[in-house]
Structures are given as C-alpha cells and as structure tokens.
Amino acid sequence: MKQVNLRIYRMILPLLFGLFLSLSAFAQQISVRGHVKDAAGEPVIGANVLVKGTANGTITDLDGNFILNAPQNSTVVVTFVGYKQVEAKAEKTMILTLQDDAQVLEAVVVIGYGTVKKNDLTGSVTAIKPDKLNRGLTTTATDMITGKIAGVNVTSDGGAPGGGATIRVRGGSSLSASNNPLIVIDGLPIDNDGIKGVSNPLSSINPNDIETFTVLKDASATAIYGSRASNGVIIITTKKGDANSRPRVTYDGNVSMSAKVNEIKVMSADQYRDFVTGTFGADSGAAKLLGDANTDWQKELFRTAFGTDHNVTVSGGLKNMPYRVSLGYTNQNGILKTSNFERYTGSFSLNPSFFDKHLNLNLNAKGMIANSRFADTGAVGAALGFDPTQVVMDGNPKYGGYFAWENPTSGEFISIATKNPVSMLEQKKETANSKNLVANAQFDYKFHFLPDLKANLNLGMDLASGKQDLYYPKESPIGYIENGKTGSETVDKYNLLLDFYLQYSKDFNEKHHFDAMAGYSWQHFHRSVENGYNNLDNSNPTSYIFKTESYLVSFFGRLNYSFMNKYLITATLRDDGTSRFAKNNRWGLFPSVAVGWRVKEEAFLKDVDALSDLKLRLGYGITGQQDLQQGDYPYMPTYFAGQDGAYYQFGDNKQVAISRPNGFNPDLKWEETTTWNTGLDFGFVNNRITAAVDYYYRETKDLINVIDVPAGTNFKNRIVSNIGSLKNQGVELSINAKPISSRDWMWDLGFNIAWNNTEITQLTAQDNAATIVPTGYVDGGTGTMVQAQGVGNPINSFYVYQQVYDEAGKPIEGLYVDRNGDGQVNESDKYFYKKPSADVTLGFTSKLIYKSWDFSFSLRGSLNNYVYNNVASFNAPLSEGWINNKGYLSNRPFSSFETNFQNLNVLSDYYVQNASFLRCDNITLGYSFKNLFKSLNGRVYGTVQNPFVITKYDGLDPEVNGGIDRNVYPRPLVGIFGLSLNF
C-alpha cells in the first residue's frame, strides 16, 4: 500500500512542478499596451513592433496603438521606414516616439573615412537626405541635389533622356584641368570619365537606392582626400537594411509624359515665300528654288514622349544581419524623335556583425545595364535653316526617299547644303550598350582588448564597359558623298581600391574627447579604347587602339579634439603620390586645420531658450589637382599611332605605319588650391529654424594649363604646364524652417543662396597682364572664338567687339567701338564683356502636409549669368548670298529681322545676352494611404516638372553649360503620375 502511494506521489509531484513552472512563466509574461508617434505627435500607422530576439511582433493600428504579449525585462523594438529604430524595456504601458531620418542625419554626418556628430563639425559640410515627397523625374543622382545645396550648381546638358550634367562646387578652381568634384560612393572614389554610351558617371546608381548626400566644400573638410579634392567632394551613402526587422517589400514607380514647350520661331512656308519673292524678286534664282510644300521642320522632329520607371526593394534583417536588395527598370523616350534611354539596375547590401558587434561588415554591390539610342542634335539646327517649302520625302531613291538639295542644272548632290533634318534622325542610327558594376567590401573591427581602437579595411572596384555603334546608309543625304558609314567604339575601364585605417577614439573625464585616425590608400585606374570605322564600300577605314593607366598612393591622418563639448579642433594631413607626374614631382603634401566654438554651450547663452544652437567655424587647408585632360603620361615622351593610310615607304614593298611623338613636360607638378573658410551655424526655437552662413576665399597656384612654346623646343607647339593662378571667393547662406508643426499640419521650407566670384590673377610665367588666351569656339567662320582667359577677369569671359547702335537702338552692321582710339577697329579693340557663370545662385523648396495630403514645389534661380546666343548669330545673315547659297535655300529665325544683318557678325557683343532665370523644377501633389487591405501602405502623386521659366534671354533656354548656346536639346515639360507601396 505504501509503495502504491509512493508511486502516486512520484507521478503527481512532477506534474505539480511542471504546472508551477508554467504558471511562473505565464506570470512573467506581461500585456504591453503602447502608442507610437512621430516627433510632431502624429500616430505612426503600420509600424513594426517586435520583441527583440524573437519573431513575436505586431503592427500599430490606425491610431498608432498596439497590444503585444512580452516577457518581463524583455526589449521592445519599433521600426518604420523613414524613421530611426527605437528600443525600450517592455512595460505594461508604453509611449514611443520615432525620430525621422532627417533628425538622424542631423546627429551623425558621413565624412571622408568615417562619420562625425554634426555638432562636432568644424568644416563646411552639408548633408541632405533626398526628399521623396518633393522631387520630379529622377533618372540620375544629380537630379536629386539640383538647387538643394548652397554653392553647388548642377547644370544638365539639356533634355536628352539619361543625359549628363555638370556639377560645380563653389565655381571650380582650374582652367584646363578638371573642375568636377570627387564622387565617393559607399567609400569608393569613382572617376569622372563616365561610361561609353552613358554621359553621366552617376547613371550607374539607381536614385532610389541613395540614402544621403554629404557635400564637403572647404579645404578643412576635403583635404583628407588630398589631390582630388580641390573642387569639392560629394559622398553618396546608399540604403541599408535594419537589424531585427521582418522583411519589407516596397515598390516605387511612375509613368511620365514629356512635351516640347518652346521652340525657335522661324518663318513658315508662306512667310518664307513672301520674304524670298519680296526681297529678291519673283524671277530671282532664289525664288525659282522654292517648293510647294508647307513643312514645319521643328514639328517634324519633336514628339510627345512617354517614359516609365519601376523599382522594387526587399529589406529587413536577422538579429545581426541587415540586408537590402533592389531592382530597377527605367525606359525614357526623348522628345527628339529616335532618342531613348533604357536602364536596368540592381543593388545588394548585406551588413552582418559578429563577435558582439566587434566586427561589422558592409558588403555592397550596384550593377547597371543601359541601352541608349542617340538622336543627332544637329538636326535641331538644320530644322531652323531648312527651306519650309520643301517636302520631307520626295521618293528619290538616291537618298532613301528623303528630299535632298541637288543642282537644278546638273542634278548633282550639293554636299555643302543643309541636310534634311528628318533624315538625320531616321537614317542615322547611333546606339550604345553600357555595363557597370560598383562593389565594395568594408570590414570594421573594434579590438576586444582595446574597444576604443578599431581597424577599417575597404576593398572596392568600379568596372565598366561600353560599346557605341554607328550606321547610316549611302542612300541618304548624310551618307551619299562618303558611301555611308559603319563602325563602333568600345571603352573598357576599371578602378580598384584598397583603403585601410586605424582609428582611436577616447573620452577623458567627460571633458576631453580625442579621436585620431591614420591610414593608407591605393587606387589603380585602367582604361582601354578600341574603335574601327569604314564606309559601306569598305573605303577609308580608320581604327584606333589605346590603353592607359594611372596609380594613386596615399598616406593620410586626421585628429579631432573637443574640450567640454564647446571647443573643437580638427587637423588632417594627406600625402599623395601619383603616376601622372615625374618622380621628382610625384608626391604632394596637403594639410588642413579647422577650429570650432559651440558658443551656445557658454554660460551666457546656455539659458537662452530661443537660441537652440550657435557655432563658429574657422578653417584653412591646401588641396591638390592631378586630374588632367591631357592623359596619364604628360611628363614623359610618348608616341601615338598616325592615321590609317599614313606610312613610311622603305624600298619597293616595305611600308611602315607612322607613329608621331607627343608633346611632354617633365617638370609638370601638382596644381594647389589654398582655402580659408569661416562659418556660423544657427538654430532657433528648438531647431525649428536652422541656418548656416559661410565665407570662403581660395587661391589656386601652379595652374595646370596648356601654353604655347617656341617652335623646335618640343614635339608640339603647345604643351601642358604649371603656369598661372586664380582666386575665388564667395558667400553661402542656407536656411531650413518648420513654420507649422501640429497634429494635422506640417510645413517645411528650405532656402539657399550663394554668391561667387572668380578672377584670373596670372596666365604666363612672365606675369604679363596683357596676355589673352582665346577659347570658346562658335559656329560662324573658321576657328572663331568668342571667349578668352585674361588676367583680372573671370574664367571664360566673353571677348568680343563693342557694338554701335543707331538712334532707334538698332545695331549698325559691322560698326564697332574703336576702344583704343587708334582710328581703326581690329583685334586690339576687343574687350572682356560679361561671363557665363552666375554671380548669384539660389534655391527654394516648400513642402506642406495636411493629414494624408502633401503639396510641394522647388524653385531655382541664377542671377547675372550671360550666354552667347550662337543660334541667333549663325542664322542672322539675310543677304541673297546667304539665303540662296550655291543652289540651296536657307530659312531664317525672326530674330534675324531684329538686326537686319546681311552678313555674319558673330564677334558682336550684341549676341552676349543676359540669361538670368528663375525656374520651377517641379510641383507635386500627393496623397498617402495606410492599412489598405489591412497591411498595405503607400502614396499616389502627380508631378509637373519644368512647368515654367522666367527669363529675358532670347534663346531657347537660358540654362546653358559653358555659356555658348548652340543646338541644345530642349528641356521638356514633363507630367508624372507615381505610386509608392509598402508591404
């Protein structure tokens, strides 16, 4: 009996013990009731709420509330796209506030080789996060920063789909060397040569993959990049996944419609007939050439174009392994017929951490495949001058059915005549296929035995290949004389990088912060070019094979020190060695130092609540330049192949291809720019209003310049050398404000303005102030140039004759001011008149949000920039010799009748016109929805891009890169409908 009772106890006791453990475990679970809101107090709908380290989670409801069972002492993690992750100890009642990414960006800024707290910045640095609610059609990364940053000017090459853009930070600092800023993508500096078939080097990055832009402007910020930083540095950081978050799928897509909004006004067919017969007579030779058609040649060239852009992203993260994968597809037709840009992109980011986050890896890869069809933009100029009384096609098989000018007597093709504009588009096929892969692996290790010390290794590569094909048939106006043409050019390039640095960071006594970094960098650039062209009858073959490479080796270091979080100092030093210079000039040392004073932390301002931040910055530094336009071997004697068909004859049967020597300069060395910068950062009303103002002064010496040398002293009469200097100064102001921030309303405003002035201070070794270096070729005459470099003047100033006007204000043809008073007008009477660069650039953005609605727009302006209107000057002559030129007729724009010039007067300052403008980049209206079908969040929007431009400029578009307006591809008016979804 006792044994039986004992067995019962043995059975019951474990059951009771198990029940007790279960009850204890259940007792340790708590029901968490929480509310998630943003910084403005608005509920965040659809936020992920997860018990850290588990799959136990939920999402917030329409009011931002959630209920979650969680173990006591566990951690609740809240994440939502666009906000910083928040972690907090699980409690029965929780109120969690998410800070948006803009505030996160304010806290930490990516700089060269690391990050720094924004409050600890001492240099002129601007960091922005692209605003998804306020932007137009963003085909490339440059579209996202246009007009957004003070002192950063972005000018697109026109309206061609996938077209390039010119970026200038504080106006540039070189004459013949590159003025492009250094672009760094996830720690990998890329070159600015672009990819064959893709003119914009940033086309390889899908704009939707970009997290932040950081622009380093002054030398104290850029000197860490040494020899490549004279024109500023733009650091692009791409998006990553979030640790401990469930997979999230997002879709961003749009369709667009583009249309031509402006054109050069020319005579219609009827007006042209009246002009020819009224001016030259009904029986004149010109009148006999008139046709019976009524053709609007510009209308024949342009179309309403459609485009589409789609992007899908999957992101998330395991406990220690965030990930992100994206795919993108872009297809844009241009408004100029036959032009098209198609692009496939893919990106991958994996960011695991090991050993309790002592070892962090960043693995990034971005790939692109692009297919382009280029339209011959010369057709636009041909359309202005082509006879509107002629048909587009007349069925003549000699020219593929297209009309072409023939001698009315002999029937021979007139080779010098303007070509049929439509045939230039339809019969000429120029296409390109481009591939690009940018990848890097970054290893960041925090030493276990010394956590204040970390090592960082970055291995990167930029691989690109592009092939551009050309074909046009013999049976065409453009190919009739040379029997058509076919061929291609292939450019392959790679850029390999190894960066390694050690960084030690330590706080002492809560007053002293010390951060020291030292590192080594190695980069190899390689480029090969191969092309071959010939006529369709295999005549006139030409070919070219070329390979080139360069190396850059660097040692660098940086020291940051702050005392009491009020007094800051940053010092950097970089020693660069380049293979582009001879051994005795190969190395350049580039130092910088900057100090900061957080005045707000002083006792006399500490309690001033209205003032949130006040910091003074002072900086000095030297940066270099070795990005030559004259190749990788300008210091050494080299030979290059002569043209095909050029041979030396040895005996009767031996022929040796000619190789010609190139000019060289063994004394070529670094171009150096010294910059002084002072700035103030402000914050008011809890930083609802923030501002920054900077003044800078730069001097560049030993300008890399192409100069004339005495005959016989070198293999060429012009070589690259270090001669000249220039100075550059300016003021920048940026203001960001949040005038309204309430439960239902949010209004963000941004404004920036910059003034810049550049002046050449020396051009020759003899310091001859009278030296003039012509530049800026224009159409009209042989070798005609309308710009020049001169001491005391801005870069590329216009150099022309001063026009004389009659009493009615009309220009008198061929009559110019005798400026030197010697009784004759010649080259000595030309003068410097205006410049293409603006004195002032500005940008303004506004974003207004009411509940689920958002309305935004962006404006951009340029003041006192001038453009030479070459379209008007080249098409001005009205004499019969120009209208009826050897058997073919030419139309004229109405601007010709404003001058009534009978011949070319391309060197008149009349054509240098004020091109100041105010452009609206985009206007957007959007609506956001949440919890559609219980789990779908998103936004629909409509955008109008380039809706208006206010300007007095007479040409097609006042925004002209370089200041000479030829046949530009007009920027279209674009309507966009877009959709964003979050799953």
Side-chain angles (χ1 to χ4, degrees):
M1 189 68 178
K2 290 181 180 179
Q3 289 181 351
V4 173
N5 291 338
L6 184 59
R7 287 173 183 168
I8 293 174
Y9 294 147
R10 287 176 178 174
M11 295 174 61
I12 292 177
L13 285 175
L15 290 174
L16 291 175
F17 183 72
L19 180 61
F20 173 78
L21 291 178
S22 299
L23 290 173
S24 299
F26 182 80
Q28 292 174 356
Q29 293 277 336
I30 60 174
S31 179
V32 178
R33 293 179 178 270
H35 177 74
V36 180
K37 61 181 180 178
D38 61 18
E42 292 291 317
V44 178
I45 305 169
N48 282 318
V49 184
L50 192 72
V51 177
K52 188 173 183 178
T54 73
N56 179 25
T58 185
I59 62 173
T60 56
D61 61 19
L62 287 170
D63 297 316
N65 299 323
F66 69 90
I67 300 176
L68 178 68
N69 290 324
Q72 284 186 347
N73 300 320
S74 63
T75 300
V76 173
V77 180
V78 181
T79 59
F80 191 69
V81 173
Y83 293 89
K84 181 182 178 182
Q85 176 177 299
V86 171
E87 297 184 7
K89 182 180 178 182
E91 298 178 359
K92 291 183 177 181
T93 302
M94 302 182 71
I95 298 178
L96 301 164
T97 302
L98 298 184
Q99 303 292 336
D100 61 42
D101 276 347
Q103 290 172 292
V104 176
L105 188 61
E106 290 292 321
V108 177
V109 175
V110 178
I111 58 173
Y113 306 103
T115 61
V116 66
K117 291 181 180 179
K118 188 175 187 300
N119 287 336
D120 292 342
L121 282 173
T122 54
S124 182
V125 178
T126 300
I128 66 168
K129 179 181 176 64
D131 191 344
K132 292 186 66 175
L133 302 186
N134 187 8
R135 69 185 193 192
L137 195 63
T138 52
T139 305
T140 65
T142 52
D143 299 327
M144 308 176 82
I145 60 174
T146 302
K148 302 295 193 301
I149 304 173
V152 178
N153 190 36
V154 181
T155 305
S156 66
D157 291 343
T166 301
I167 306 175
R168 292 291 178 264
V169 177
R170 292 183 167 179
S173 61
S174 297
L175 280 182
S176 64
S178 173
N179 276 303
N180 295 320
L182 174 66
I183 308 293
V184 181
I185 303 173
D186 287 332
L188 174 64
I190 65 173
D191 63 47
N192 287 301
D193 290 336
I195 307 163
K196 189 65 179 179
V198 179
S199 54
N200 193 325
L202 292 179
S203 293
S204 60
I205 307 175
N206 189 327
N208 284 278
D209 292 332
I210 295 176
E211 181 74 15
T212 62
F213 291 91
T214 303
V215 180
L216 314 182
K217 300 178 186 178
D218 72 332
S220 66
T222 63
I224 194 67
Y225 286 107
S227 64
R228 293 171 291 178
S230 287
N231 298 299
V233 181
I234 298 178
I235 300 174
I236 297 175
T237 304
T238 57
K239 296 175 181 177
K240 308 291 190 294
D242 295 318
N244 293 313
S245 64
R246 65 179 188 177
R248 178 175 292 276
V249 180
T250 62
Y251 165 81
D252 287 287
N254 65 67
V255 292
S256 61
M257 181 176 69
S258 305
K260 176 172 62 70
V261 293
N262 197 11
E263 65 179 21
I264 302 296
K265 301 299 181 182
V266 298
M267 286 182 281
S268 67
D270 290 337
Q271 291 169 331
Y272 189 64
R273 289 188 187 96
D274 293 341
F275 165 73
V276 170
T277 57
T279 305
F280 310 119
D283 297 326
S284 64
K288 293 177 181 179
L289 295 173
L290 291 169
D292 300 322
N294 291 277
T295 304
D296 184 339
W297 288 103
Q298 292 187 77
K299 186 177 180 180
E300 294 292 334
L301 298 187
F302 293 101
R303 65 185 176 185
T304 299
F306 295 90
T308 185
D309 185 72
H310 304 280
N311 301 277
V312 177
T313 302
V314 179
S315 63
L318 305 177
K319 181 178 181 181
N320 296 311
M321 190 176 295
Y323 61 86
R324 185 179 184 275
V325 180
S326 73
L327 296 173
Y329 174 74
T330 300
N331 193 325
Q332 283 188 5
N333 288 309
I335 59 172
L336 188 60
K337 289 180 179 178
T338 72
S339 59
N340 174 265
F341 176 71
E342 182 183 43
R343 180 183 63 189
Y344 302 85
T345 61
S347 71
F348 171 77
S349 175
L350 189 65
N351 315 106
S353 60
F354 305 96
F355 312 124
D356 195 24
K357 295 186 178 181
H358 277 260
L359 176 62
N360 297 291
L361 272 64
N362 288 314
L363 307 176
N364 304 290
K366 291 163 282 291
M368 177 209 70
I369 299 175
N371 300 305
S372 303
R373 170 77 185 267
F374 303 105
D376 188 343
T377 55
V380 180
L384 303 182
F386 211 86
D387 179 4
T389 69
Q390 306 300 334
V391 295
V392 176
M393 303 190 73
D394 62 1
N396 191 335
K398 291 168 59 178
Y399 315 113
Y402 288 91
F403 171 82
W405 286 107
E406 293 182 333
N407 187 297
T409 303
S410 65
E412 294 181 356
F413 176 71
I414 303 176
S415 61
I416 63 171
T418 306
K419 304 301 184 290
N420 187 315
V422 179
S423 74
M424 294 175 69
L425 297 183
E426 299 294 346
Q427 292 186 291
K428 183 178 181 180
K429 187 175 182 181
E430 191 168 8
T431 60
N433 175 262
S434 312
K435 302 179 181 68
N436 184 223
L437 175 64
V438 177
N440 74 301
Q442 191 170 31
F443 306 84
D444 189 273
Y445 176 65
K446 182 171 61 176
F447 289 87
H448 282 77
F449 63 88
L450 186 60
D452 298 322
L453 178 65
K454 70 174 185 178
N456 188 286
L457 173 66
N458 187 23
L459 305 173
M461 64 179 183
D462 178 7
L463 313 178
S465 177
K467 181 181 180 183
Q468 191 160 326
D469 296 287
L470 173 68
Y471 172 84
Y472 50 84
K474 173 185 177 181
E475 297 79 14
S476 65
I478 57 176
Y480 184 78
I481 292 296
E482 56 182 341
N483 294 310
K485 191 172 185 178
T486 186
S488 65
E489 180 171 271
T490 300
V491 178
D492 296 317
K493 68 172 188 174
Y494 62 78
N495 159 22
L496 304 179
L497 171 79
L498 183 152
D499 279 343
F500 177 79
Y501 65 86
L502 292 171
Q503 184 173 11
Y504 180 77
S505 181
K506 183 70 174 179
D507 291 324
F508 300 94
N509 302 325
E510 298 183 355
K511 290 184 178 181
H512 306 273
H513 174 74
F514 177 84
D515 187 329
M517 181 268 292
Y520 166 82
S521 178
W522 173 92
Q523 199 160 9
H524 178 206
F525 300 91
H526 184 275
R527 187 180 185 90
S528 64
V529 181
E530 181 176 355
N531 66 32
Y533 296 94
N534 58 267
N535 301 132
L536 296 186
D537 61 359
N538 292 320
S539 63
N540 297 320
T542 62
S543 61
Y544 180 75
I545 299 176
F546 182 73
K547 294 182 180 180
T548 183
E549 65 180 349
S550 65
Y551 291 85
L552 192 65
V553 176
S554 310
F555 300 91
F556 55 87
R558 178 173 57 221
L559 174 65
N560 292 316
Y561 171 73
S562 68
F563 176 65
M564 297 179 64
N565 202 30
K566 291 190 290 187
Y567 311 110
L568 316 167
I569 185 169
T570 300
T572 68
L573 186 65
R574 183 168 180 127
D575 195 14
D576 272 341
T578 178
S579 62
R580 286 176 167 166
F581 301 142
K583 289 184 178 180
N584 56 326
N585 292 322
R586 187 155 289 172
W587 289 90
L589 195 62
F590 306 102
S592 78
V593 62
V595 295
W597 176 25
R598 298 192 63 202
V599 188
K600 169 61 180 174
E601 297 301 314
E602 298 292 349
F604 59 87
L605 288 178
K606 191 87 171 178
D607 297 326
V608 180
D609 296 334
L611 185 66
S612 311
D613 185 31
L614 178 60
K615 181 171 66 176
L616 172 66
R617 294 176 282 104
L618 299 172
Y620 162 85
I622 300 174
T623 51
Q625 173 68 280
Q626 52 89 47
D627 191 358
L628 308 177
Q629 307 298 305
Q630 293 80 24
D632 291 323
Y633 315 103
Y635 70 92
M636 61 187 297
T638 58
Y639 286 79
F640 62 96
Q643 295 180 350
D644 288 325
Y647 301 96
Y648 285 117
Q649 184 76 33
F650 288 90
D652 295 331
N653 301 315
K654 183 69 172 178
Q655 293 178 331
V656 178
I658 293 175
S659 292
R660 294 178 291 170
N662 208 351
F664 69 99
N665 181 1
D667 297 322
L668 192 66
K669 61 181 181 179
W670 299 93
E671 177 181 291
E672 292 188 355
T673 299
T674 303
T675 303
W676 292 263
N677 192 97
T678 180
L680 278 173
D681 298 327
F682 303 90
F684 303 97
V685 196
N686 198 25
N687 279 336
R688 286 182 60 174
I689 302 174
T690 59
V693 59
D694 282 84
Y695 168 77
Y696 59 90
Y697 179 83
R698 302 194 298 187
E699 289 183 349
T700 303
K701 66 177 184 178
D702 296 325
L703 283 171
I704 295 174
N705 204 354
V706 179
I707 63 169
D708 295 321
V709 293
T713 60
N714 211 297
F715 290 124
K716 283 192 173 183
N717 59 359
R718 303 197 80 199
I719 63 170
V720 60
S721 185
N722 294 100
I723 289 183
S725 61
L726 59 84
K727 63 181 181 181
N728 177 292
Q729 63 179 327
V731 178
E732 299 166 350
L733 171 67
S734 61
I735 302 173
N736 293 284
K738 198 181 292 288
I740 301 175
S741 179
S742 66
R743 179 179 178 85
D744 293 332
W745 290 91
M746 182 82 71
W747 190 16
D748 288 327
L749 294 174
F751 174 75
N752 67 81
I753 186 170
W755 169 78
N756 177 268
N757 177 265
T758 302
E759 179 183 324
I760 299 171
T761 54
Q762 184 184 357
L763 271 178
T764 63
Q766 293 76 28
D767 200 16
N768 185 356
T771 299
I772 304 297
V773 180
T775 186
Y777 287 97
V778 295
D779 296 330
T782 302
T784 304
M785 292 180 278
V786 297
Q787 294 174 314
Q789 318 293 8
V791 174
N793 296 282
I795 296 174
N796 295 332
S797 294
F798 297 106
Y799 192 61
V800 288
Y801 292 112
Q802 185 178 355
Q803 181 69 52
V804 176
Y805 297 83
D806 61 20
E807 295 179 352
K810 294 291 185 180
I812 301 174
E813 183 169 6
L815 188 58
Y816 306 114
V817 174
D818 178 12
R819 293 182 61 89
N820 62 5
D822 63 355
Q824 57 183 342
V825 175
N826 53 28
E827 286 283 326
S828 301
D829 293 297
K830 287 183 181 179
Y831 77 119
F832 286 100
Y833 177 68
K834 306 300 182 180
K835 57 183 174 53
S837 59
D839 285 339
V840 176
T841 57
L842 54 91
F844 179 77
T845 60
S846 172
K847 180 175 66 176
L848 181 66
I849 299 175
Y850 173 67
K851 293 186 176 180
S852 297
W853 292 91
D854 61 84
F855 175 76
S856 58
F857 64 85
S858 297
L859 300 173
R860 181 164 49 89
S862 179
L863 303 179
N864 209 35
N865 57 296
Y866 281 73
V867 166
Y868 177 84
N869 192 340
N870 197 197
V871 175
S873 67
F874 182 66
N875 292 283
L878 292 172
S879 67
E880 186 174 7
W882 286 96
I883 300 300
N884 177 17
N885 186 3
K886 298 182 179 179
Y888 69 94
L889 296 178
S890 297
N891 197 3
R892 286 292 177 261
F894 285 112
S895 62
S896 299
F897 299 99
E898 296 175 6
T899 60
N900 203 34
F901 288 164
Q902 299 303 298
N903 295 291
L904 285 174
N905 293 266
V906 294
L907 291 174
S908 169
D909 65 2
Y910 173 83
Y911 296 107
V912 179
Q913 300 173 357
N914 191 328
S916 301
F917 67 87
L918 177 66
R919 182 188 297 275
C920 181
D921 281 327
N922 56 268
I923 302 173
T924 300
L925 178 65
Y927 177 80
S928 299
F929 54 88
K930 299 178 180 179
N931 277 355
L932 187 66
F933 307 117
K934 295 185 178 181
S935 61
L936 186 62
N937 304 324
R939 175 175 175 262
V940 293
Y941 63 92
T943 296
V944 180
Q945 183 168 296
N946 194 31
F948 64 84
V949 180
I950 301 173
T951 183
K952 292 182 178 180
Y953 178 59
D954 294 334
L956 194 63
D957 194 309
E959 195 170 359
V960 177
N961 182 36
I964 297 177
D965 186 2
R966 295 186 182 89
N967 299 325
V968 297
Y969 194 126
R971 294 176 176 85
L973 171 69
V974 184
I976 306 166
F977 174 77
L979 173 66
S980 300
L981 298 174
N982 298 317
F983 300 91

